[in-house]
Amino acid sequence: MLVYLKIYRYNPEAGRNVPSFDTYNIEAEPTDRVLDLLEEIKGHIDGTVSFRRSCAHGVCGSDAMRINGRNMLACKALVKDVGTEITIEPILGLPVLKDMIVDMEPFFNSYKSLMPFLINEDVPADGKERLQSPEQRERFDDTTKCILCAACTTSCPVFWSDDQYVGPATIVNAHRFIFDSRDQAANKRLEILADHGGAFRCRTAFNCTEACPREIHVTQAIAEVKNAITSGGVEH
Amino acid sequence: MTQTHQHEVIIVGAGGAGLMAALYASRGADTAVLSKLYPTRSHTGAAQGGIGAALGNLEPDKVEWHSFDTVKGSDYLGDQDAIDYMCAQAPEVVYELEHMGLPFSRTDDGKIAQRRFGGHTNNDTKQPVLRSCYAADRTGHMILQTLYQNCIKNKVHFYDEFHVLDLLMNDGVANGVVAVELATGELHVFHAKSVVFATGGHGRIWELTSNAYAYTGDGVAITLRRGLPAQDLEFFQFHPTGILKLGILITEGVRGEGGVLINGKGERFMERYAPTVKDLASRDVVSRSIYLEIRDGNGIKGDRYVHLDMRPEVVNHYAELDGRTLPDGTPYRVTGEQLLSKVPDIVDFCRTYLGIDPIKEPMPIQPTAHYAMGGIPTNVHGQALSDAQGTIVPGLFAAGEVACVSVHGANRLGTNSLLDLVVFGKEAGKMAAEYAKSADYKPLEANPTDFTRQQLDRILGKSGGEKVVTLGEEMKTKMMDDVGVFRTAEGMASAIEKMRELRERYKNVSVDDHGKRFNTDLLNAWELGCLLDVALATAVSAHARPESRGAHAREDFPKRNDAEWLKHTLAWMDGDQVRLEYKPVTITKYEPKERVY
């Protein structure tokens, strides 16, 4: 089938300092990924079209972009699902550097600000694993799936307008530790998230949940964090 | 303007091996990690089924059994001292990962959960053993995330999206690297005392692959260009179960949980090829069996694929026939819900890319290029070696898939790659810091970026030349056809000629993008150069080995030949000539014998 693509272009270095769209018509299969189409264009038509990608099957998080106005991974969006008229733009709310490539530094800096690592220096005397029941493990399973693609954060209307807000992905990763029975710093994390740039900035728009390519219940995770703050902590 | 940086230890690559090396090196020396991807994009994150360690959490297991299984899996080409070391370290590093925060799946009594995997057995009963420590079917993702989290905790210094293009040497001693900063296109020189290559594999040489776009053999190609050898490149693993046409991996864990391979006649054909462990034979054995079924017209509808079936009724049917029991002796039976919780990502992949639900329908699969057993030769300390005598290259270390210790020999067992990168990443990191403390900075040569600039300028100086994708497609097709699961002298000879032709045409390659910022067009072209070098060295190494061993299966030499070929290949590259030498395999207690599953 013939697919009509409209691709966002921006590259001040090459004189394209006003964003505009280039259009391409290419032959595709319904099962082709949008990433396959971008590769086809880059390889055969215009090598200057720029985007990040690596694993090509939805686990590395490199290729989050706006496809027909919605945040998706280009490698998980199939032609049969997005249609034969496809508009591709960079994710919103992070500075665009070139075409679909955005500056990820603000995103990762926010992620790092919530101590995204287990805090617990006690290990069993026999050197073996700490015990954790399947139910305790299940409690935070959903948020361990995050691949830091930024699809959620850059779909959030609060994030677009408020540069103080840490954004959904940061809260998801805080949730992963707050509800891990092995972690000893839940209160510290909750304290940070109770602050003005934290969880209460969320206005439950649910964009993040819809955008997540890993199907994490992002809004719910944020709500659980809010509840933990208001109820004064978590019990494992 | 070239900037020069100085760090005692430079680590190239931020997957499992690179991050583990970084955690350990940074404890003893000023360390920085350079990665062409953001660290969490690394391909370790795609690993699914688990990390092998004889914890015995659910049933009896022993380090010695893990060692023997690995030696046997390697078709006796693995070095037994290195294998013993890795398997003995396994429980300790798995506990260490748990202590770092890795969210393993759990047993009912709260321990790390373990599942069956191909080639891992109870050596007394010969039956599959629960050895693979897992976190659902995203174990690699959890390892990558956990190690990156700990690097943040320990304030490890990262240069993200710095693509290393050259290794610097002074009088045979490694003393730095040259990298391009993707955001600016500027070259940077990193002056170091120790350089650790943890750059991953080169599975993008083949048409159908489970590997990321980033898996372009940079580390092996760079060291070949610097006159260092690559070991055992002819041994490349084809994983039996890639999604039809896409190559996306379906974990062996599916078979560990009871899934079976079914041909077009509805037969569970692995019974014929591996009567004892059946679907859980080594990957080389299973991939060949699938090819033979297809060749005999037993593919699904006579086509070039078979089914992997994990529908609960099918799993339960074969579990009953096999008499499979749980550790408490009760019959093994599963529900769709239980399977979904064990391999949720696989279910997601099938729904997304195939439009099928594997709990209700079988999955169409075919073998897919997956893992490089070969790479930069190292000893058990991660020190790179320059010859068949084991001479150490001062200052150079390698770990993970880019390295060849060799613990995988001619065929790697599933779960041993994650183990390899954690064990040897740790060792290489420690040794790199230790070496840095005793060494001085070796002076840089006058114009350290010259060689890199030549390579880039040659590409940028052309227009209207050969296209990167065209050359790449020709390479991948040829390698798949003639240096794939089954090989012949004639096919490999023609592949060698083809790779020489492509390398010649590559001299005329051109790109559209002549800018500096995020010039992925240029870097794709540079990466193709790496792939072509590694492909040629692979084809030559393979052509020279007239026997079948592990993943190297010759139709014209179907038997293993221990008398003449129980030895490692070392390949050096000089222009389009590849020179080969051989070195002995370290045998300690396991004498080579016939390999049956």
Side-chain angles (χ1 to χ4, degrees):
Chain A
M1 62 174 67
L2 193 65
V3 175
Y4 171 80
L5 287 121
K6 217 173 119 185
I7 298 182
Y8 179 99
R9 303 303 307 273
Y10 172 75
N11 183 16
E13 188 190 14
R16 302 191 70 155
N17 38 16
V18 177
S20 58
F21 287 88
D22 282 350
T23 58
Y24 305 88
N25 292 305
I26 62 171
E27 274 298 325
E29 298 290 328
T31 51
D32 279 346
R33 297 164 277 200
V34 171
L35 180 62
D36 297 326
L37 310 185
L38 284 169
E39 286 291 331
E40 176 74 14
I41 290 166
K42 187 176 181 72
H44 294 282
I45 306 172
D46 182 354
T48 67
V49 174
S50 300
F51 50 90
R52 294 187 177 102
R53 89 293 195 244
S54 189
C55 80
H57 66 286
V59 298
C60 82
S62 298
D63 61 348
M65 45 191 87
R66 292 182 87 209
I67 298 170
N68 290 345
R70 295 179 55 165
N71 282 4
M72 301 182 187
L73 299 180
C75 62
K76 278 196 95 175
L78 271 50
V79 170
K80 67 182 171 67
D81 300 322
V82 299
T84 52
E85 290 185 22
I86 306 172
T87 302
I88 301 175
E89 300 161 275
I91 46 180
L92 286 175
L94 294 168
V96 178
L97 301 175
K98 183 182 181 184
D99 300 344
M100 267 61 68
I101 298 175
V102 300
D103 181 2
M104 293 294 289
E105 290 302 314
F107 174 82
F108 280 107
N109 288 340
S110 173
Y111 162 74
K112 290 170 192 166
S113 71
L114 256 292
M115 304 177 294
F117 39 82
L118 190 83
I119 297 179
N120 179 343
E121 304 305 325
D122 309 332
V123 296
D126 62 5
K128 293 188 176 181
E129 71 268 59
R130 301 182 190 92
L131 299 182
Q132 183 172 53
S133 72
E135 295 72 29
Q136 288 172 323
R137 170 64 179 75
E138 181 61 24
R139 184 67 193 85
F140 65 104
D141 185 63
D142 201 37
T143 45
T144 63
K145 298 185 313 200
C146 177
I147 54 174
L148 299 167
C149 69
C152 62
T153 294
T154 60
S155 72
C156 172
V158 180
F159 177 79
W160 295 336
S161 60
D162 181 348
D163 62 5
Q164 297 295 305
Y165 181 38
V166 295
T170 299
I171 305 176
V172 161
N173 282 280
H175 179 284
R176 176 253 171 276
F177 292 104
I178 290 166
F179 291 92
D180 185 336
S181 58
R182 302 170 297 171
D183 189 67
Q184 298 172 341
N187 289 339
K188 187 95 186 285
R189 300 177 211 278
L190 291 171
E191 209 172 283
I192 300 171
L193 286 171
D195 208 1
H196 71 282
F200 292 102
R201 290 275 155 146
C202 166
R203 291 287 179 271
T204 56
F206 281 94
N207 285 14
C208 52
T209 302
E210 282 176 26
C212 179
R214 304 286 288 149
E215 296 174 11
I216 298 170
H217 301 94
V218 182
T219 316
Q220 185 186 323
I222 298 172
E224 289 172 3
V225 168
K226 288 177 184 171
N227 285 340
I229 295 169
T230 49
S231 65
V234 289
E235 278 181 33
H236 295 300
Chain B
M1 186 56 206
T2 302
Q3 290 183 53
T4 302
H5 312 261
Q6 202 173 60
H7 295 283
E8 289 180 305
V9 179
I10 287 292
I11 293 165
V12 185
L19 295 178
M20 196 71 184
L23 283 172
Y24 275 86
S26 61
R27 291 179 186 178
D30 167 34
T31 300
V33 183
L34 277 60
S35 173
K36 65 180 180 178
L37 305 170
Y38 274 99
T40 58
R41 315 297 186 219
S42 305
H43 203 50
T44 297
Q48 299 170 356
I51 174 168
L55 305 185
N57 278 356
L58 287 155
E59 60 182 355
D61 196 8
K62 293 179 183 172
V63 164
E64 293 72 26
W65 294 350
H66 189 182
S67 273
F68 173 72
D69 289 342
T70 303
V71 170
K72 179 181 171 186
S74 81
D75 220 348
Y76 294 90
L77 192 73
D79 289 313
Q80 297 181 10
D81 54 341
I83 290 172
D84 279 343
Y85 176 77
M86 178 177 79
C87 296
Q89 289 290 307
E92 185 184 319
V93 296
V94 167
Y95 293 136
E96 185 178 359
L97 290 171
E98 196 284 326
H99 298 161
M100 286 186 196
L102 198 140
F104 282 107
S105 295
R106 298 289 174 155
T107 65
D108 288 341
D109 53 1
K111 295 178 184 169
I112 293 169
Q114 297 187 277
R115 62 162 53 118
R116 293 174 166 192
F117 240 76
H120 292 281
T121 63
N122 173 317
N123 287 187
D124 292 340
T125 65
K126 315 294 180 202
Q127 290 301 312
V129 72
L130 297 158
R131 184 179 291 149
S132 169
C133 309
Y134 65 92
D137 55 352
R138 49 181 88 100
T139 314
H141 164 76
M142 298 302 192
I143 289 180
L144 184 65
Q145 295 285 329
T146 301
L147 292 177
Y148 185 55
Q149 290 158 2
N150 278 269
C151 284
I152 294 170
K153 183 180 176 190
N154 290 314
K155 301 187 167 59
V156 171
H157 190 152
F158 285 93
Y159 291 87
D160 294 333
E161 297 194 322
F162 276 65
H163 191 162
V164 169
L165 304 181
D166 193 16
L167 168 69
L168 298 174
M169 310 268 294
N170 177 339
D171 197 20
V173 179
N175 67 338
V177 297
V178 176
V180 60
E181 180 180 11
L182 300 191
T184 62
E186 297 297 341
L187 294 182
H188 293 245
V189 172
F190 290 85
H191 191 196
K193 296 177 183 176
S194 300
V195 175
V196 182
F197 267 31
T199 52
H202 49 262
R204 282 271 155 188
I205 285 174
W206 286 271
E207 189 174 18
L208 195 70
T209 179
S210 69
N211 283 189
Y213 277 104
Y215 256 30
T216 53
D218 302 9
V220 170
I222 287 170
T223 47
L224 280 173
R225 289 166 191 172
R226 284 294 175 183
L228 296 169
Q231 182 174 325
D232 293 342
L233 288 180
E234 64 269 43
F235 299 103
F236 195 91
Q237 179 165 83
F238 284 76
H239 192 291
T241 57
I243 290 182
L244 180 63
K245 292 181 186 164
L246 289 168
I248 296 169
L249 189 67
I250 300 291
T251 175
E252 199 168 292
V254 166
R255 282 172 283 140
E257 301 294 347
V260 289
L261 291 162
I262 303 287
N263 68 15
K265 291 178 171 169
E267 297 166 337
R268 183 199 197 183
F269 57 87
M270 282 311 299
E271 286 174 338
R272 284 188 265 119
Y273 298 95
T276 308
V277 296
K278 305 183 181 86
D279 298 275
L280 287 173
S282 281
R283 289 175 177 173
D284 59 330
V285 174
V286 181
S287 286
R288 278 195 292 278
S289 305
I290 294 171
Y291 262 63
L292 291 172
E293 287 298 303
I294 289 169
R295 181 179 298 181
D296 292 345
N298 291 340
I300 305 297
K301 297 175 196 153
D303 209 341
R304 297 182 56 79
Y305 68 96
V306 296
H307 276 148
L308 172 60
D309 202 332
M310 61 171 266
R311 291 177 292 177
E313 61 274 23
V314 172
V315 169
N316 290 337
H317 172 67
Y318 286 103
E320 189 173 354
L321 286 181
D322 292 348
R324 182 172 178 183
T325 55
L326 295 167
D328 66 6
T330 57
Y332 181 87
R333 296 291 179 272
V334 294
T335 64
E337 205 169 293
Q338 285 166 333
L339 287 172
L340 177 60
S341 75
K342 294 280 176 66
V343 289
D345 281 4
I346 291 311
V347 174
D348 178 45
F349 296 153
C350 289
R351 286 175 180 162
T352 302
Y353 299 108
L354 294 168
I356 67 162
D357 181 348
I359 306 293
K360 298 194 178 110
E361 289 174 79
M363 298 168 258
I365 58 93
Q366 56 188 162
T368 182
H370 186 57
Y371 185 87
M373 272 74 74
I376 299 170
T378 73
N379 60 22
V380 288
H381 303 300
Q383 294 168 302
L385 307 175
S386 64
D387 57 30
Q389 290 70 47
T391 305
I392 289 163
V393 183
L396 184 62
F397 303 80
E401 190 172 345
V402 71
C404 182
V405 185
S406 151
V407 284
H408 309 304
N411 172 67
R412 175 175 70 76
L413 291 189
T415 77
N416 275 352
S417 62
L418 291 175
L419 180 60
D420 169 4
L421 56 82
V422 177
V423 168
F424 294 105
K426 176 175 172 175
E427 185 63 18
K430 274 188 195 171
M431 291 298 291
E434 201 172 291
Y435 174 80
K437 284 299 159 196
S438 65
D440 295 322
Y441 284 101
K442 275 270 194 185
L444 294 168
E445 56 187 292
N447 297 299
T449 59
D450 276 0
F451 185 48
T452 307
R453 275 194 201 287
Q454 272 172 28
Q455 295 174 50
L456 299 181
D457 287 349
R458 196 176 76 186
I459 301 168
L460 291 169
K462 295 262 179 355
S463 60
E466 293 274 2
K467 278 196 172 293
V468 173
V469 283
T470 310
L471 299 181
E473 279 162 14
E474 289 183 34
M475 167 190 71
K476 290 181 217 178
T477 307
K478 189 66 183 170
M479 290 298 284
M480 198 79 197
D481 288 347
D482 289 314
V483 196
V485 171
F486 281 106
R487 302 165 175 184
T488 64
E490 197 185 4
M492 288 186 287
S494 72
I496 293 168
E497 281 319 299
K498 182 70 183 176
M499 294 312 123
R500 291 208 168 106
E501 174 211 314
L502 291 172
R503 288 176 85 251
E504 199 54 38
R505 286 164 59 192
Y506 178 77
K507 291 176 182 166
N508 195 34
V509 81
S510 67
V511 294
D512 296 337
D513 195 337
H514 289 244
K516 297 193 75 125
R517 293 158 60 87
F518 287 102
N519 192 340
T520 51
D521 202 19
L522 172 65
L523 289 165
N524 288 350
W526 183 84
E527 288 175 333
L528 173 66
C530 293
L531 288 170
L532 286 169
D533 286 3
V534 181
L536 176 62
T538 298
V540 172
S541 299
H543 183 257
R545 183 178 283 271
E547 64 157 354
S548 288
R549 181 185 300 273
H552 178 64
R554 296 276 306 249
E555 295 191 63
D556 40 2
F557 295 93
K559 292 259 184 265
R560 198 173 80 194
N561 177 354
D562 288 334
E564 291 172 281
W565 288 95
L566 183 59
K567 55 191 181 185
H568 297 292
T569 305
L570 289 175
W572 282 264
M573 207 149 181
D574 185 11
D576 73 348
Q577 295 305 308
V578 178
R579 178 170 61 85
L580 302 178
E581 284 185 26
Y582 294 90
K583 71 173 184 182
V585 174
T586 306
I587 308 272
T588 56
K589 50 183 183 252
Y590 308 108
E591 280 305 316
K593 54 184 177 188
E594 200 190 348
R595 184 165 164 254
V596 283
Y597 283 101

